[in-house]
Amino acid sequence: MLKKDQCWRCDHICTTPTPKIYCSGCEVAYYCSEKCKHGDVFRHQVDCQTAALKRRCSGCGKENRGLKQCDEDILRRQRGHASTATIYYWGNIPAKDLINFPQNEGCEYSKPFAVLACGVGDPRNIVLSVSQLPEAYQEEVTFVLNDICACTLARTVLILYLIFKGGEQVANSVTQIWYSLRLSEEDHQLVINTLQELIQASSLEELTRGTMKIEQDQLHNLVQVWRTWLDLSSRKGNWITEARRRMFESDPGSKDGIDLYLKEIPKEHKKSASDWFANGILLPKESRKRLTHENFTLSGSDFQVSGNKGAFSYIIQSSVSPFTSWDYKDAQQLSDSVSILKMYSEYVSHVLKKCAMTLATGQVKFHFLLCNCLEMTPFLPPDRKYDRVTTSNIADFVPLANLLDTCKPLLNLNNPSSVIITEFQNWVRFTNLIMEAEKRAFDMVRGDPFRKRILEDTKNSAIAYSTARQAFAEYHDHSAEFAMFLRAALLASEVPDERNRRRTWKSVADYNGIIARNFLRCQNRVSGPPARWLLNCRRVTLLNGFERAVEWIVKPR
């Protein structure tokens, strides 16, 4: 994810007296040097065409600036789509700073700030946002964290309370509690003591001296999760380790996926990455104490299957890892270690330490909501408006227009930088793009000029000669299909406006008074330009190339 003034090739910040060198084609991409500009020509071709707003009609082949393609097939498939989510103890895309003052309000902003995180999942975005607050900013920041899953929210509260109470001293322990399969005696006891405190508290607000709060009936549901974990803390045997092993064995594609991953990441990381998949422990081997306990907080009961009422078991999917939750490029800048276990454990601990320092000032408050985000308004303070409303990838599972209708009245209209952020990961299932990409990668001969160009761009033969689609995703433009999906998603809810006309892309913006920032010209400011991730420079992060983010702002009058 690019940051302000960051070179599109090497990630260095373009500062005076070094001027930005812009791409003459799109006038959006910029570089710190002619060398970087020249080196990025091949990879940037797809972004350049997108940013310049030129399109080729799939029907007649005519190139123009319009985005007029047939939505009917996508609309039909979306109406019949019925996917479900799972428990998110770890992130499914890298953490981002939800506040990001430099690219939004500015570093001199001096008013209280409020963030509403719908479907918050794990707290990676929250701790990163807190850790990035400018020292000069002294106003109160309120995070309202919502999730429908009691297990997910219980673990988020647990992690944030550990940081709040223990401060910088427990950052390393919290990192391992968050991600590692096994714990030391010291960390195991830390979790038990913390759970007992949370369970015995008469209220979360009283326990934290006003820093955290949740409705008492909702707290009761979290307490049930904490009690179950406490009961499981004394369970003997390697039950979590064995459950993880069985999960990997039962997933027919996991072995091939791991092998492909290990081939395509930087060579120096392969040994430590193999260790992670074998053992599930984030600490490098040389730093491991005697890990005598299973991490029982990695267990849970799926909300979609049982409403969190079923038996608890190991719940982390084989397709996710700590490396997905945090941007490899950021971790690498802090600790460019051969071991990605060392790199990531040090980076996450660093973020947690900075977060703990800010929490110690008392300027950050947390309000937790356990409910469906489309039904959360009655639980929100009626006089509070929000500078950021984030919705994770909830739009993959509920009608987009309904989600925007719920969130728009909550925006702080006195802040011109206030924004709603929607993320999309499943949109590609409504297209043929995955099948086409897989066929293209498999059928492309080794000597194809396209592969040679990728080798020149990445300097990685495993990527250039891969038969997997991920290696080539960033060299193809999918923006037309994504724009078409968005129009279909807005139509799919079939919610009429006050004059009983079905919504179109334009009428939704006019009716609701919100518009999407022009992600085609990389104008996202919170989720970061560009709206999609660059993959081959962060292969360790394990993205699929189809993650998208759209930012919605109040339409200027």
Side-chain angles (χ1 to χ4, degrees), residues 305-472:
V305 174
S306 66
N308 300 134
K309 302 299 184 182
F312 275 39
S313 60
Y314 178 75
I315 205 73
I316 308 295
Q317 290 180 311
S318 59
S319 59
V320 298
S321 76
F323 316 129
T324 309
S325 300
W326 304 90
D327 189 354
Y328 171 71
K329 300 290 284 184
D330 288 341
Q332 187 182 39
Q333 287 182 4
L334 180 74
S335 174
D336 192 8
S337 173
V338 168
S339 168
I340 57 172
L341 303 179
K342 182 175 187 293
M343 179 190 298
Y344 271 77
S345 60
E346 288 183 354
Y347 175 70
V348 176
S349 296
H350 170 75
V351 171
L352 295 180
K353 287 177 182 178
K354 292 183 65 178
C355 176
M357 291 173 62
T358 302
L359 292 184
T361 67
Q363 74 178 111
V364 179
K365 309 295 183 185
F366 299 103
H367 181 187
F368 302 99
L369 290 179
L370 179 64
C371 63
N372 184 328
C373 69
L374 297 181
E375 301 169 354
M376 66 184 170
T377 304
F379 300 103
L380 296 171
D383 56 341
R384 176 178 291 150
K385 299 299 180 182
Y386 300 88
D387 303 280
R388 305 283 186 272
V389 179
T390 70
T391 63
S392 186
N393 65 320
I394 291 175
D396 282 335
F397 308 104
V398 305
L400 175 59
N402 292 7
L403 188 61
L404 295 175
D405 281 341
T406 300
C407 295
K408 191 258 180 177
L410 304 174
L411 281 178
N412 178 12
L413 300 184
N414 293 321
N415 179 2
S417 296
S418 62
V419 63
I420 301 168
I421 305 164
T422 54
E423 297 172 2
F424 303 86
Q425 296 186 40
N426 297 343
W427 71 274
V428 72
R429 298 179 184 177
F430 306 117
T431 74
N432 294 322
L433 290 176
I434 290 181
M435 182 177 65
E436 292 172 356
E438 290 175 344
K439 185 177 186 304
R440 182 168 55 239
F442 185 80
D443 292 345
M444 193 183 303
V445 298
R446 188 177 179 88
D448 191 285
F450 190 72
R451 291 191 184 275
K452 293 181 179 178
R453 297 297 300 274
I454 295 176
L455 179 60
E456 180 182 345
D457 182 57
T458 63
K459 306 295 189 295
N460 187 324
S461 59
I463 292 176
Y465 301 126
S466 174
T467 56
R469 59 177 171 78
Q470 288 91 340
F472 313 120

Side-chain angles (χ1 to χ4, degrees), residues 75-96:
L75 175 58
R76 173 181 56 79
R77 279 186 273 183
Q78 174 149 8
R79 285 171 174 163
H81 185 59
S83 179
T84 57
T86 186
I87 290 181
Y88 291 106
Y89 286 169
W90 299 346
N92 48 14
I93 60 172
K96 57 180 174 289

